[in-house]
Amino acid sequence: MTGKTSFLPQGEACSSRCPDNTAFKQQRLPAWKPQLNVATVLCSFFLTGAFCLSVGICLILSANSVREIQIDYSDKCSECSKFRENSSNWNNECHCSANFVLEEGIMGDVFMYYGLQNFYQNHRRFMMSKSNEQLQGQNANIQQYCAPFATYQNGTPMAPCGAIANSMFNDTIELFYNFNSSVIQVPLLRTGNCWWTDKNVKFRNPKSYNLSSAFAGTARPPYWQKPVYLLDEEDERNNGYVNEDFIIWMRVSAFATFRNLYRRVMRVGRFADGLPAGNYTFQISYNFPVSKFKGRKHVILSTVVWSGGSSQFLGIAYLVTGSAATLTGFVITGIHLKLRKKKTYFQK
């Protein structure tokens, strides 16, 4: 023993500082130490490259099989956009429409998304502008981190508070199918669109015999047209903090251009197999202005596959990784052959 422990009696030093004499603490457990050689290293690089390239190709082919149609209704609803810029019109409705044609039907489950462009949600103060305790139903009056959207000038607390909730997307979008001379509204599902953990863990309503009394003494955010307990007047279970449109909006995006799930097509009647080919119309109640920040708004109809949606990012990432691993394998092979030739030459 060295250092200070060398001046201590051997028994005392070991009893206080030495680990137990076991295989684990004395690092005597059996272990496998790989013996790296050229063949092992090259096989590792080439197998990794082949695996990543195969997965990447499968992911890209899968993403390309997604059927998707995107409609930009920013210009088609320009009159409503100007109407909404006047704050005195906040309580008046403005409607517009966008027509499109499906040359081929979209079969299977069809998802409707709304998309926003040039809308930044990744600012630190914006992302922190909410109260998790309030959203979990602990106290409707909690306004931690919510300033300046915490209370009104008269002291009335906002529910929900914060900049994220106040900026919630609130356009109402309906889809109609023009069949011959009749117009059929496509049935859309409002619920079942968010994660189970969000609706049952992260977001909970205050406990009370009804929602209106649970939110008594509070007021809606300034940009909202309805109080939080009337977000869905057709389904009482989809109101308050557990409203699925609200939950999905509260999951902020990392990029300025993003899409959020809005509705799912109910597969009943004429739409049992999906959306048939034909003429369609989006009827939009325009409430969310975007012209002040030079934004754009879209409606997207899309299907999904086993790998997800139409994004090719993961497939491209696998292809880049596989290509890099394969290229590295060829480089190592070339270096090895060159050095082996030099070694053979000097031995001669």
Side-chain angles (χ1 to χ4, degrees), residues 63-71 100-102 104-107 109-113 259 298-304 308-312:
N64 288 336
S65 66
V66 172
R67 288 292 310 280
E68 180 174 301
I69 180 170
Q70 180 170 301
I71 307 297
F100 65 97
V101 179
L102 279 182
E104 297 181 3
I106 303 179
M107 300 295 102
D109 294 328
V110 182
F111 299 82
M112 180 189 293
Y113 301 83
R259 64 175 65 178
H298 308 83
V299 185
I300 304 104
L301 295 173
S302 177
T303 59
V304 295
S310 60
S311 175
Q312 297 184 352

Side-chain angles (χ1 to χ4, degrees), residues 4 16 18 54 60 74 83-84 95 108 113 115 124 150 160 188 191 247 264 267 275 277 285 295:
K4 294 182 179 180
S16 60
C18 292
S54 301
I60 289 180
S74 303
F83 181 82
R84 283 293 172 218
H95 300 274
Y113 301 83
R124 182 181 63 86
L188 301 174
T191 57
I247 291 175
R264 290 178 295 127
R267 299 179 63 176
L275 293 179
S285 177

Side-chain angles (χ1 to χ4, degrees), residues 249-266:
W249 177 258
M250 293 298 291
R251 191 185 308 130
V252 296
S253 173
F255 302 100
T257 299
F258 62 92
R259 64 175 65 178
N260 284 335
L261 181 60
Y262 182 67
R263 297 287 185 266
R264 290 178 295 127
V265 174
M266 184 184 300

Side-chain angles (χ1 to χ4, degrees), residues 1-8 13 17:
M1 298 182 69
T2 60
K4 294 182 179 180
T5 55
S6 61
F7 297 99
L8 297 175
R17 296 175 179 269

Side-chain angles (χ1 to χ4, degrees), residues 172-185:
T172 301
I173 305 172
E174 296 178 332
L175 180 60
F176 292 88
Y177 176 48
N178 304 314
F179 181 70
N180 294 333
S181 59
S182 60
V183 178
I184 304 173
Q185 184 172 3

Side-chain angles (χ1 to χ4, degrees), residues 50-293:
F51 172 78
C52 291
L53 289 173
S54 301
V55 174
I57 293 172
C58 292
L59 289 174
I60 289 180
L61 292 177
S62 177
N64 288 336
S65 66
V66 172
R67 288 292 310 280
E68 180 174 301
I69 180 170
Q70 180 170 301
I71 307 297
D72 187 331
Y73 65 93
S74 303
D75 296 332
K76 297 178 181 180
C77 297
S78 58
E79 294 297 326
C80 285
S81 179
K82 295 178 182 178
F83 181 82
R84 283 293 172 218
E85 288 180 1
N86 189 346
S87 59
S88 62
N89 296 324
W90 70 271
N91 201 27
N92 299 320
E93 294 185 355
C94 187
H95 300 274
C96 58
S97 61
N99 301 320
F100 65 97
V101 179
L102 279 182
E103 300 293 343
E104 297 181 3
I106 303 179
M107 300 295 102
D109 294 328
V110 182
F111 299 82
M112 180 189 293
Y113 301 83
Y114 63 84
L116 290 176
Q117 183 178 341
N118 206 36
F119 188 92
Y120 291 85
Q121 292 184 313
N122 55 5
H123 192 279
R124 182 181 63 86
R125 290 191 61 188
F126 182 88
M127 296 175 64
M128 293 179 59
S129 186
K130 63 179 180 178
S131 171
N132 291 323
E133 293 81 3
Q134 185 190 54
L135 297 176
Q136 291 174 356
Q138 297 179 12
N139 187 343
N141 298 328
I142 298 175
Q143 303 109 24
Q144 185 181 12
Y145 303 122
C146 286
F149 300 100
T151 60
Y152 286 93
Q153 292 182 353
N154 59 1
T156 303
M158 298 180 190
C161 68
I164 306 177
N166 183 60
S167 63
M168 176 180 168
F169 181 87
N170 58 349
D171 282 1
T172 301
I173 305 172
E174 296 178 332
L175 180 60
F176 292 88
Y177 176 48
N178 304 314
F179 181 70
N180 294 333
S181 59
S182 60
V183 178
I184 304 173
Q185 184 172 3
V186 179
L188 301 174
L189 294 171
R190 296 170 174 264
T191 57
N193 301 324
C194 67
W195 299 343
W196 182 92
T197 52
D198 284 342
K199 190 149 187 171
N200 295 274
V201 179
K202 292 182 64 176
F203 295 84
R204 304 297 295 271
N205 283 325
K207 294 182 179 179
S208 181
Y209 63 92
N210 60 42
L211 279 182
S212 59
S213 62
F215 291 99
T218 64
R220 58 176 176 79
Y223 291 173
W224 284 28
Q225 296 176 320
K226 301 178 182 179
V228 67
Y229 53 86
L230 292 178
L231 289 178
D232 189 349
E233 298 181 4
E234 299 179 5
D235 188 356
E236 295 182 356
R237 297 171 298 178
N238 191 35
N239 269 317
Y241 297 145
V242 296
N243 177 265
E244 297 202 10
D245 291 338
F246 173 71
I247 291 175
I248 292 173
W249 177 258
M250 293 298 291
R251 191 185 308 130
V252 296
S253 173
F255 302 100
T257 299
F258 62 92
R259 64 175 65 178
N260 284 335
L261 181 60
Y262 182 67
R263 297 287 185 266
R264 290 178 295 127
V265 174
M266 184 184 300
R267 299 179 63 176
V268 294
R270 189 175 296 276
F271 310 100
D273 297 326
L275 293 179
N279 299 320
Y280 289 85
T281 301
F282 283 120
Q283 291 288 349
I284 302 162
S285 177
Y286 198 101
N287 300 308
F288 193 88
V290 296
S291 57
K292 287 187 177 181
F293 57 86

